[in-house]
Amino acid sequence: MFKATIDADILKSSIETLSVLVDEARFRISTEGLSVRAVDPANVAMVSFELTASAFDDFAADDCEIGMDLTKINDILGVAEKNEKATLELDELSQRMSIHIGGFSYTLSLLDPSTIRAEPRIPQLELPAEVVLNGKELQKAVKAAEKISDHMSLGVDEDIFYMEAEGDTDKVRLEMPREQLIDLKSGEARSLFSLDYLSDIVKPASKSNEVTLELGRDYPIRISFTVAEGAGKISYLLAPRIESD
Amino acid sequence: MFKATIDADILKSSIETLSVLVDEARFRISTEGLSVRAVDPANVAMVSFELTASAFDDFAADDCEIGMDLTKINDILGVAEKNEKATLELDELSQRMSIHIGGFSYTLSLLDPSTIRAEPRIPQLELPAEVVLNGKELQKAVKAAEKISDHMSLGVDEDIFYMEAEGDTDKVRLEMPREQLIDLKSGEARSLFSLDYLSDIVKPASKSNEVTLELGRDYPIRISFTVAEGAGKISYLLAPRIESD
Amino acid sequence: MFKATIDADILKSSIETLSVLVDEARFRISTEGLSVRAVDPANVAMVSFELTASAFDDFAADDCEIGMDLTKINDILGVAEKNEKATLELDELSQRMSIHIGGFSYTLSLLDPSTIRAEPRIPQLELPAEVVLNGKELQKAVKAAEKISDHMSLGVDEDIFYMEAEGDTDKVRLEMPREQLIDLKSGEARSLFSLDYLSDIVKPASKSNEVTLELGRDYPIRISFTVAEGAGKISYLLAPRIESD
């Protein structure tokens, strides 16, 4: 059993955090909310997503797992107008989800969860450095790097968070000292990442005022932020590339 | 003889109601105004268009028939700024139309009307149900259906106007009860239409606050609305598709 | 030696006036400012560009000549926000230009000036007619002509500046009498120009309130305007096409 009502905008931004990495996802539903863990087809990035029952106006659910086509839901949520509510209701017998938004009733066939890639195990990582900044600033840095290269380094050097990208002939570097950041925990950190992934991930992150980056030396980066006033939590883990000297 | 001045915006929206179905049209000019009847190349939809002399600031004409390339006129009207007037003047000898808009003078070769498809006969139809609604609402319903399928059903069920679209696996339904409509005349009505045509037709209709739909059981739909404060009348007739069960 | 700070917007619009004709340019730097003269690959249009030291907030330079990739600089200047400053600094040893904008530091490899086409000689021309008009009006005329043809005539007839374009079947003419112009010096003038070039040139010109056109009979047109409150001067020379009767 699953029946829930939520602000369509919140649901839309939540789905978008997943759809930058995967087209289909297994949603784990419990009395406490929804959660998804997914890894992209190339095994480079992973997303861990949680939307607690408190993000919903109404929420009633038993434990279950369903598969959904994210592109379809994104499309459907596109009809919602500002401040409209979306009501989801699962029909377990027919394996269909009905979605009601502003007079429209959609009936969507679910995907068989067993056909969707299994949930990844989230690795335990000790990431020494931590940077908290505005999502828009992060997106701007990624866009600047894209003009020069298809990889970018992110690192911490004492009281400075920096990013650097180097093309065949040109280079760009951005330094953000502690006072331009919301928070900085210094530590040894510098890793190279593919801009393909970073630019997808910073799209949803750019809507958040507070994005947390956790970094290490040639280690994955963890990029996390919340939605729905903290009731939704998104965390990406992106594997580093090997930096050639 | 034909010489007339009109608000360029009104002329532009009028031409657009035709150009969603055909690229060239025969305009019938009389002392009472302009009129066009055209059928699309596949014989699925028909438009009947009328712009009476009162829609014009100045209007002087003898009976005649001219052929025009709608894409060219649309292009030309694109240079008009808000509230600018367009003056049309026919040169019968050279078979050219001159169009003056804000300092620009266009001279456009007319098409030989005999090379343009003949006017269709408008069939006499008894359409039992009638729905009047805002054009934007109609467009929204069509857009929602397009996400699921390439056909949609429109029907009336007692006090409810509904639309429904069904894809291979998914379904959408919108119900609008009488109180959400401007007017409803109930009657037996449900027909299936191609979304290709409907989405073209609702583009000009979406600018109108009052669009009238006339419907029957597996019958064509008539979609009508006015422009230029009632001085222009547009009416589409769209053939139904066969609904397979 | 070259080190200078300037409003990023002014630099951006300056670079754009060059990039409509060429992808790479030789910048001549002196104590008085920057200047560029370039001719397009087909030898049809030429631009002469000057940005005096007074356009800069800070400007320190010795005489030198550098080659730059205009697309790259355009890209980089795209990260600038409203009212942000750009600081350029030349590293002569490594032949690199560093560009600082709002926290970002770009290091750009310069091009060897000897690989870029030599500066054209600006021909001495006696152009009898002169028209001064708003850049937006000029752009509108060019856009109107593009709907009909790929060439347009510009000319002066007594107190009227006119433009005309003729397609296979259709024609457009715009007349601007002296009172619609900022200034008019009458003289014998009518020449035909390729719209490919004109529409590129009017893009930067359209941002200027005062664009000066100098014209003759089957002669090149000179299109000039200023940026940075007169501290920057741009002048295009566009060769005429042969008008067939």
Side-chain angles (χ1 to χ4, degrees):
Chain A
M1 192 271 269
F2 170 62
K3 182 168 180 182
T5 299
I6 189 167
D7 193 285
D9 270 350
I10 292 177
L11 187 58
K12 198 166 157 54
S13 8
S14 300
I15 298 291
E16 278 165 359
T17 63
L18 302 170
S19 58
V20 295
L21 289 191
V22 288
D23 294 331
E24 305 177 338
R26 296 176 180 220
F27 287 75
R28 227 199 271 228
I29 300 176
S30 75
T31 51
E32 284 168 26
L34 301 181
S35 71
V36 176
R37 275 186 198 176
V39 65
D40 86 290
N43 275 21
V44 173
M46 182 182 298
V47 60
S48 159
F49 164 86
E50 219 173 279
L51 199 58
T52 60
S54 64
F56 293 79
D57 295 280
D58 284 304
F59 189 89
D62 297 328
D63 286 9
C64 62
E65 201 183 38
I66 59 169
M68 290 209 280
D69 181 319
L70 301 176
T71 319
K72 279 187 185 174
I73 307 180
N74 261 339
D75 252 19
I76 289 173
L77 292 169
V79 310
E81 300 191 8
K82 203 92 201 115
N83 298 322
E84 244 172 0
K85 298 291 178 189
T87 297
L88 310 175
E89 189 170 3
L90 177 65
D91 179 346
E92 269 154 311
L93 270 181
S94 67
Q95 277 296 296
R96 295 216 159 104
M97 179 74 86
S98 69
I99 305 180
H100 302 270
I101 307 174
F104 290 98
S105 314
Y106 288 89
T107 314
L108 217 69
S109 290
L110 296 178
L111 304 174
D112 178 351
S114 69
T115 64
I116 302 175
R117 255 183 123 189
E119 276 194 358
R121 202 181 48 80
I122 303 274
Q124 294 301 312
L125 293 170
E126 293 279 325
L127 295 164
E130 190 179 303
V131 175
V132 184
L133 81 175
N134 187 296
K136 284 250 172 307
E137 299 280 322
L138 180 63
Q139 191 183 34
K140 216 181 144 183
V142 170
K143 285 194 172 168
E146 285 176 317
K147 299 187 191 308
I148 301 284
S149 177
D150 49 5
H151 288 83
M152 94 189 271
S153 299
L154 293 167
V156 173
D157 186 2
E158 309 251 312
D159 268 12
I160 289 170
F161 165 60
Y162 66 88
M163 72 88 182
E164 234 174 44
E166 215 170 325
D168 290 341
T169 54
D170 310 322
K171 218 172 113 171
V172 59
R173 184 177 167 97
L174 171 70
E175 298 196 343
M176 294 182 78
R178 187 188 289 274
E179 51 289 11
Q180 278 178 38
L181 299 165
I182 299 170
D183 201 7
L184 174 75
K185 195 181 114 201
S186 195
E188 209 207 339
R190 178 192 173 93
S191 311
L192 186 73
F193 302 101
S194 155
L195 279 166
D196 264 5
Y197 284 90
L198 270 181
S199 70
D200 280 346
I201 292 173
V202 298
K203 243 176 271 167
S206 70
K207 292 170 198 153
S208 170
N209 291 328
E210 256 189 72
V211 176
T212 302
L213 311 180
E214 290 163 84
L215 288 155
R217 177 135 201 95
D218 292 322
Y219 246 49
I221 185 174
R222 184 180 290 125
I223 302 178
S224 5
F225 54 94
T226 63
V227 293
E229 292 167 6
K233 282 177 202 145
I234 295 101
S235 169
Y236 295 97
L237 204 61
L238 176 63
R241 293 290 159 130
I242 293 152
E243 195 151 8
S244 55
D245 290 310
Chain B
M1 193 270 271
F2 170 62
K3 183 167 180 184
T5 299
I6 189 167
D7 193 285
D9 270 350
I10 292 176
L11 187 58
K12 198 166 157 52
S13 10
S14 298
I15 298 291
E16 277 165 359
T17 62
L18 302 170
S19 58
V20 295
L21 288 192
V22 288
D23 295 331
E24 306 177 338
R26 297 176 179 219
F27 287 76
R28 227 199 271 228
I29 299 175
S30 75
T31 52
E32 284 167 25
L34 301 181
S35 70
V36 175
R37 275 188 197 172
V39 65
D40 87 290
N43 275 22
V44 173
M46 182 181 300
V47 59
S48 161
F49 164 85
E50 219 173 283
L51 200 58
T52 61
S54 65
F56 292 81
D57 296 281
D58 283 304
F59 189 89
D62 297 328
D63 286 10
C64 62
E65 200 184 38
I66 58 169
M68 291 209 280
D69 181 319
L70 301 176
T71 319
K72 280 189 184 174
I73 308 181
N74 260 338
D75 253 18
I76 289 172
L77 292 169
V79 311
E81 301 192 7
K82 202 94 202 117
N83 297 323
E84 243 171 1
K85 297 293 179 186
T87 297
L88 310 175
E89 190 170 1
L90 177 64
D91 180 346
E92 268 154 311
L93 271 180
S94 66
Q95 277 296 297
R96 293 211 160 106
M97 179 73 87
S98 69
I99 305 180
H100 302 269
I101 307 173
F104 290 98
S105 312
Y106 289 91
T107 314
L108 215 71
S109 289
L110 296 178
L111 305 173
D112 178 350
S114 70
T115 65
I116 301 174
R117 251 183 128 190
E119 276 193 357
R121 204 181 46 80
I122 304 275
Q124 294 301 314
L125 292 171
E126 294 279 327
L127 295 164
E130 190 179 305
V131 175
V132 184
L133 80 175
N134 188 296
K136 284 249 172 308
E137 299 279 323
L138 180 62
Q139 192 182 35
K140 216 180 143 182
V142 169
K143 285 194 171 167
E146 285 176 317
K147 299 188 190 308
I148 301 284
S149 178
D150 50 4
H151 288 82
M152 94 190 271
S153 299
L154 293 168
V156 173
D157 186 2
E158 309 251 309
D159 269 11
I160 290 171
F161 165 60
Y162 66 88
M163 72 88 182
E164 235 174 44
E166 216 169 325
D168 289 342
T169 53
D170 310 322
K171 217 173 115 171
V172 58
R173 184 178 166 96
L174 172 69
E175 299 196 344
M176 295 182 78
R178 187 188 289 272
E179 49 289 9
Q180 278 178 37
L181 299 165
I182 300 170
D183 201 9
L184 173 75
K185 195 181 114 199
S186 194
E188 209 207 339
R190 177 192 174 93
S191 311
L192 185 72
F193 302 101
S194 156
L195 279 166
D196 265 4
Y197 283 89
L198 269 182
S199 70
D200 281 346
I201 292 173
V202 298
K203 244 178 271 168
S206 69
K207 293 171 198 154
S208 171
N209 290 328
E210 254 188 74
V211 176
T212 301
L213 311 180
E214 290 163 85
L215 288 155
R217 176 132 203 99
D218 292 322
Y219 244 48
I221 185 173
R222 182 180 291 124
I223 302 178
S224 7
F225 53 94
T226 62
V227 293
E229 291 167 8
K233 283 179 200 141
I234 295 101
S235 169
Y236 296 97
L237 205 61
L238 176 63
R241 294 289 160 130
I242 292 153
E243 195 152 9
S244 54
D245 292 307
Chain C
M1 191 270 271
F2 170 62
K3 182 166 181 183
T5 299
I6 189 168
D7 193 285
D9 269 351
I10 293 177
L11 187 58
K12 198 166 156 54
S13 7
S14 299
I15 299 290
E16 277 167 359
T17 63
L18 301 170
S19 59
V20 295
L21 288 191
V22 289
D23 294 332
E24 306 178 337
R26 296 176 180 221
F27 287 76
R28 228 200 271 227
I29 299 176
S30 75
T31 52
E32 285 169 23
L34 301 180
S35 70
V36 175
R37 274 188 199 174
V39 65
D40 86 290
N43 276 18
V44 173
M46 183 181 298
V47 59
S48 161
F49 165 85
E50 221 173 280
L51 200 58
T52 61
S54 65
F56 292 81
D57 295 280
D58 283 305
F59 189 88
D62 297 328
D63 286 9
C64 63
E65 202 185 36
I66 58 169
M68 290 209 281
D69 181 318
L70 301 176
T71 319
K72 280 189 185 173
I73 307 182
N74 260 339
D75 253 18
I76 289 173
L77 292 169
V79 309
E81 300 192 7
K82 203 93 200 120
N83 298 324
E84 242 172 359
K85 298 290 178 188
T87 297
L88 310 176
E89 190 169 5
L90 177 64
D91 179 345
E92 269 153 310
L93 272 180
S94 67
Q95 277 295 297
R96 293 215 160 106
M97 179 73 89
S98 70
I99 306 180
H100 302 269
I101 307 174
F104 290 98
S105 314
Y106 288 90
T107 315
L108 216 69
S109 289
L110 296 177
L111 304 174
D112 179 350
S114 70
T115 64
I116 301 175
R117 253 182 125 191
E119 276 195 356
R121 202 181 48 80
I122 303 275
Q124 294 301 314
L125 291 171
E126 294 277 328
L127 296 165
E130 190 180 302
V131 175
V132 185
L133 81 174
N134 186 296
K136 283 250 171 309
E137 299 279 322
L138 180 62
Q139 191 182 36
K140 215 181 145 184
V142 169
K143 285 194 172 167
E146 286 176 317
K147 299 187 190 308
I148 301 285
S149 178
D150 50 4
H151 288 81
M152 93 189 273
S153 299
L154 293 168
V156 172
D157 186 3
E158 309 251 310
D159 270 12
I160 288 170
F161 165 61
Y162 66 88
M163 72 88 183
E164 234 174 44
E166 216 170 325
D168 289 342
T169 54
D170 310 323
K171 219 172 112 170
V172 59
R173 184 178 166 95
L174 171 70
E175 299 197 343
M176 293 182 80
R178 188 188 289 275
E179 37 316 348
Q180 278 179 36
L181 299 165
I182 299 170
D183 201 7
L184 173 73
K185 195 180 112 199
S186 194
E188 210 207 340
R190 179 195 172 90
S191 309
L192 185 72
F193 302 100
S194 156
L195 279 166
D196 265 4
Y197 283 89
L198 270 181
S199 70
D200 280 347
I201 292 173
V202 299
K203 245 177 268 167
S206 70
K207 292 169 197 154
S208 171
N209 290 328
E210 256 188 73
V211 176
T212 302
L213 311 180
E214 290 163 84
L215 287 156
R217 177 138 202 94
D218 291 323
Y219 247 50
I221 186 172
R222 182 180 290 124
I223 301 178
S224 5
F225 54 95
T226 62
V227 292
E229 291 168 8
K233 282 178 200 141
I234 294 100
S235 169
Y236 295 97
L237 205 60
L238 176 63
R241 294 290 160 128
I242 292 153
E243 196 149 8
S244 55
D245 292 309

